[in-house]
Amino acid sequence: MTTMHANLLNQFLDYAHRADPYPILARMREHPVDVQDDGRYLVSTYAEIRACLQDPRFSSDLRKGYSKTDQRIDEEEAPPSFIRLDPPKHDWLRHQVMTHFSPELIHGLRPRIEEVAGALLDAHKQQAQLDIVDDFAYPLPVTIICEVLGVPGEDVALFHTWADQLILGADPSKSTNQEIVQQAKSARVQLRHYMGKLIDRVQQAPGPGLLSAMLHPATQEKQMTKEDLVGIAVLLLIAGHVTTVNLIANSMLTLLRSPEHFARLRREPSIVAKLVEEVLRYEPPVQLVRRTTLTEVPLAGVTIPKGAPVYLMLAAGNRDPLRFDDPERFDPERPAIEHLGFAQGIHYCVGAPLARLETQIALTALARRLQDPRLVEDPPPYRESPTLRGPRHLLVTLHHR
Ligand code: HEM
């Protein structure tokens, strides 16, 4: 039976496999749906993951599951943000955000993103070495999401530690580490407190930014509660940069490993959109998403019981040979790839257009400005998180002309 298999999820979560989780993900795919010896279910093939993402019997509200130890503690003291809610509340809150976080708004950010990207590279142009993560890929999306929300620039540094603590606390392999869990809890409390105060200020004096627009909507529909708005602000702030940093860094790592693609990007900047899509398939910054079953669900010959913790392994589905030809090959010329990098279904990433734009601009600027960059260390040191996976540092040496 399925329980005979090694606990592949624990192996995947183990930091030792962070730099190259793909052999483990390939083993997971041998059983499209599989149960681990601790009762967690894995779904690892493209068709089955997609089916789960579109099936309302798979809930994003983990409080509805039976596995208490598997729940994120940080979700206990405050109502979850809409990424962790089901319809109808999810749909209503998501709609409120989408109304303001519009394609026009994103499109209009292009000049500012280009300006910030250029300024970051200018600031380091005399150096012989650049850390693509700390010097560029992290500050770029943080600066932009703070400006979009209307968070004062001088507060940006505050979020760095809170975001790191939150991510570590959400790591499924750390759920029994009390110190990490407590730190994440306290980071969330502080972030909510900060956003609450900011929202009070914006309530008094409307200003630029999304929060102000949401507080003072042009058409007065049903008003959002302050608690809902705090949840949205925290979600957008965190989701708005801890993922994009990894997309930029994973992209650069991939390009540095196959310099022919980097050279092509310099010659032919219009290839950038295809490159980014292929990185979202090949090295997705969000490797898995979690669900719980609202009822018993038979899938691919396995009956998942009600209330089970379910891990949808997006990164495994993205390399499923039944869906993609020669999936272990990085190939930006794949037609209409429909990767799972931003998930699918009702929780499809709200920030996908922004993340795409930021990463496309970032890669174009790096290709234009960096002369013959060379990786200092391969593999680079990785972040702890198995879920939000990417290099912690990405050092390159530069040659100035
Ligand atoms: C490369 C960057 C990004 C990646 C790979 C990514 C990936 C994802 C994924 C996989 C989900 C689905 C979660 C689930 O189904 O449980 C998601 C949801 C979400 N993302 Fe992103 N994301 C990125 C950037 C952003 C940005 C820049 C923002 C906001 C500014 C954002 C905001 C959100 C929100 C609000 C949701 C929840 C949507 C919902 O529940 O309806 N993301 N993202």
Side-chain angles (χ1 to χ4, degrees):
M1 235 298 280
T2 37
T3 43
M4 301 287 286
H5 312 138
N7 192 318
L8 288 174
L9 180 58
N10 280 344
Q11 288 183 40
F12 170 83
L13 298 176
D14 187 342
Y15 186 73
H17 298 286
R18 200 67 74 244
D20 185 13
Y22 297 102
I24 294 173
L25 294 170
R27 284 178 60 204
M28 285 182 186
R29 279 192 306 268
E30 290 169 14
H31 302 273
V33 181
D34 201 9
V35 63
Q36 305 295 283
D37 52 15
D38 51 17
R40 295 188 279 189
Y41 281 76
L42 298 182
V43 183
S44 315
T45 41
Y46 185 90
E48 281 68 27
I49 293 171
R50 200 179 157 131
C52 296
L53 288 170
Q54 285 164 358
D55 186 336
R57 294 174 296 177
F58 288 84
S59 167
S60 284
D61 189 344
L62 302 185
R63 298 169 306 176
K64 294 178 183 169
Y66 294 149
S67 168
K68 291 294 168 215
T69 51
D70 203 49
Q71 260 180 35
R72 284 167 40 175
I73 302 290
D74 58 22
E75 279 157 4
E76 285 174 2
E77 83 278 358
S81 50
F82 67 92
I83 196 168
R84 289 257 153 265
L85 288 177
D86 294 335
K89 181 96 191 249
H90 162 270
D91 298 5
W92 186 72
L93 288 172
R94 182 179 167 113
H95 176 74
Q96 304 304 306
V97 173
M98 295 303 277
T99 314
H100 299 281
F101 204 52
S102 62
E104 296 75 49
L105 181 142
I106 309 292
H107 183 73
L109 292 172
R110 175 179 279 280
R112 179 62 184 144
I113 302 172
E114 286 174 345
E115 188 182 12
V116 175
L120 287 168
L121 291 177
D122 280 346
H124 300 284
K125 70 179 172 197
Q126 301 304 336
Q127 294 170 201
Q129 267 198 0
L130 184 73
D131 181 352
I132 302 280
V133 175
D134 281 348
D135 297 338
F136 185 73
Y138 181 80
L140 177 63
V142 181
T143 307
I144 300 300
I145 194 64
C146 286
E147 289 181 8
V148 167
L149 289 172
V151 171
E154 62 271 22
D155 294 343
V156 167
L158 281 174
F159 303 125
H160 201 146
T161 319
W162 291 339
D164 281 350
Q165 289 171 340
L166 274 177
I167 293 163
L168 203 57
D171 178 342
S173 64
K174 299 284 189 297
S175 57
T176 51
N177 183 325
Q178 279 313 312
E179 196 188 333
I180 289 179
V181 165
Q182 282 308 324
Q183 268 178 4
K185 203 169 173 172
S186 135
R188 181 167 289 265
V189 169
Q190 291 180 70
L191 195 48
R192 288 186 70 90
H193 182 70
Y194 173 89
M195 284 300 179
K197 282 202 322 212
L198 180 66
I199 287 166
D200 287 342
R201 285 211 303 274
V202 174
Q203 185 110 52
Q204 303 300 320
L210 201 73
L211 293 181
S212 183
M214 293 181 77
L215 267 173
H216 307 279
T219 53
Q220 202 59 29
E221 292 173 15
K222 190 175 144 200
Q223 189 69 41
M224 231 183 297
T225 64
K226 181 177 167 192
E227 198 164 55
D228 284 340
L229 196 57
V230 168
I232 285 176
V234 171
L235 173 60
L236 290 178
L237 184 79
I238 298 296
H241 71 270
V242 296
T243 45
T244 310
V245 56
N246 290 333
L247 183 57
I248 298 173
N250 291 350
S251 299
M252 266 312 273
L253 179 59
T254 307
L255 293 177
L256 292 166
R257 282 173 172 167
S258 40
E260 71 279 10
H261 292 298
F262 194 65
R264 182 171 173 202
L265 177 60
R266 299 184 73 146
R267 283 194 317 271
E268 206 186 317
S270 62
I271 185 79
V272 74
K274 284 181 180 173
L275 277 173
V276 172
E277 292 316 296
E278 177 65 347
V279 176
L280 281 157
R281 181 194 73 83
Y282 186 75
E283 289 276 24
V286 177
Q287 296 256 305
L288 63 95
V289 295
R290 292 161 62 186
R291 297 291 188 264
T292 190
T293 34
L294 296 177
T295 174
E296 193 177 276
V297 182
L299 186 68
V302 175
T303 302
I304 308 178
K306 179 177 172 178
V310 182
Y311 286 66
L312 307 180
M313 306 303 298
L314 306 179
N318 272 347
R319 293 194 185 203
D320 182 348
L322 292 175
R323 175 63 184 74
F324 299 102
D325 291 337
D326 199 2
E328 305 292 332
R329 198 162 70 89
F330 180 75
D331 176 12
E333 293 300 340
R334 286 174 196 281
I337 59 179
E338 286 189 15
H339 55 72
L340 300 169
F342 291 124
Q344 286 182 1
I346 64 166
H347 292 280
Y348 181 82
C349 178
V350 160
L354 176 60
R356 285 186 166 117
L357 184 66
E358 287 176 338
T359 308
Q360 291 170 11
I361 291 173
L363 296 185
T364 310
L366 287 167
R368 205 172 42 229
R369 300 278 293 268
L370 301 191
Q371 307 299 323
D372 192 21
R374 300 275 168 86
L375 264 179
V376 170
E377 234 183 319
D378 192 4
Y382 270 79
R383 292 179 190 280
E384 278 269 344
S385 173
T387 312
L388 302 173
R389 175 177 167 270
R392 174 61 194 89
H393 297 287
L394 189 60
L395 284 177
V396 294
T397 48
L398 305 175
H399 301 271
H400 299 285
R401 278 205 286 223

